[in-house]
Amino acid sequence: MEKINELKKIIDNSQRIVFFTGAGISCGSGIPDFRSSDGLYQTDLRAEEILSHDYFMANPTAFYAFYQRKMLYPDAKPNIAHQWIAKLENDGKALGVITQNIDGLHDAAGSRRVVELHGSVYRNHCLKCGRSYDLNKILSEAVPHCVCGGLIKPDVVLYGEPLDYRATKEAIAMITAADTLVIIGTSLNVYPAASFIEYYTGHNLIVLNKSATDKALFARLTINDDIIEILKQLSALN
């Protein structure tokens, strides 16, 4: 409970909190952490190959069979962790959230400034004419095609693709401006996104993750537990 008290103290005394979130924050919404010990990347050795730009272009049928089955959770709802972050932003305590997730749950929770480093499953576009499509289009066809006949691609960063420059620039600016940086649900193994943490120069680095990270982050506070359990204990102090 000592660490929970310290977390409350830091949050209460901060005015420019930035959150950096990964798959672990959405587990409570029913979306699996694919990089956990029993996750997708452990059970399907071809996952990173299938989710690559080259594979998508060469084998769109096989790509979409995998993507629709394993990567889309349209019925998922924000959990208390997403809602906690949104409330702190709306209360003027947080600058926003940077996420490695593509599930759109921060937006759904009411966060106003969300930097989606790896894109979103809710945005899709035609590779031929650029027309935009929502998730319903992706779910309705085995291999989604535009009215013009072009192949539709999800606006998610596949392996072999660079991060969006504007998202990268905004994420670095937010981290640089933060008085407190809270890392939630990620072991920081996905690059280059994980390297953005190095831009934080403050003294309130907090890591909330179920498992320990092997990164030498020199965090002021580390709590290795499920984020839902952490927030239940935190709410009991209010």
Side-chain angles (χ1 to χ4, degrees), residues 123-178:
R123 297 189 301 271
N124 309 273
H125 71 280
C126 172
L127 293 176
K128 185 177 180 181
C129 71
R131 185 185 179 106
S132 296
Y133 288 92
D134 61 17
L135 184 58
N136 290 329
K137 177 69 172 178
I138 303 302
L139 293 169
S140 66
E141 300 177 18
V143 181
H145 281 82
C146 178
V147 292
C148 77
L151 178 65
I152 297 173
K153 180 188 178 297
D155 287 353
V156 299
V157 178
L158 302 177
Y159 289 96
E161 295 180 336
L163 298 184
D164 180 78
Y165 171 75
R166 289 169 296 181
T168 297
K169 185 177 180 181
E170 185 174 4
I172 292 173
M174 285 174 63
I175 290 173
T176 302

Side-chain angles (χ1 to χ4, degrees), residues 66-126:
F66 182 89
Y67 180 79
Q68 291 166 341
R69 186 176 77 255
K70 297 287 190 178
M71 306 300 291
L72 302 180
Y73 293 84
D75 296 326
K77 304 297 181 185
N79 60 54
I80 63 172
H82 300 101
Q83 294 163 354
W84 177 60
I85 290 173
K87 184 177 187 306
L88 285 170
E89 182 187 359
N90 289 315
D91 288 347
K93 297 276 289 178
L95 298 179
V97 55
I98 302 161
T99 186
Q100 299 175 101
N101 299 337
I102 58 175
D103 53 39
L105 292 182
H106 285 297
D107 278 317
S111 285
R112 293 170 296 173
R113 189 180 184 188
V114 182
V115 179
E116 295 171 316
L117 293 175
H118 297 148
S120 171
V121 300
Y122 289 93
R123 297 189 301 271
N124 309 273
H125 71 280
C126 172

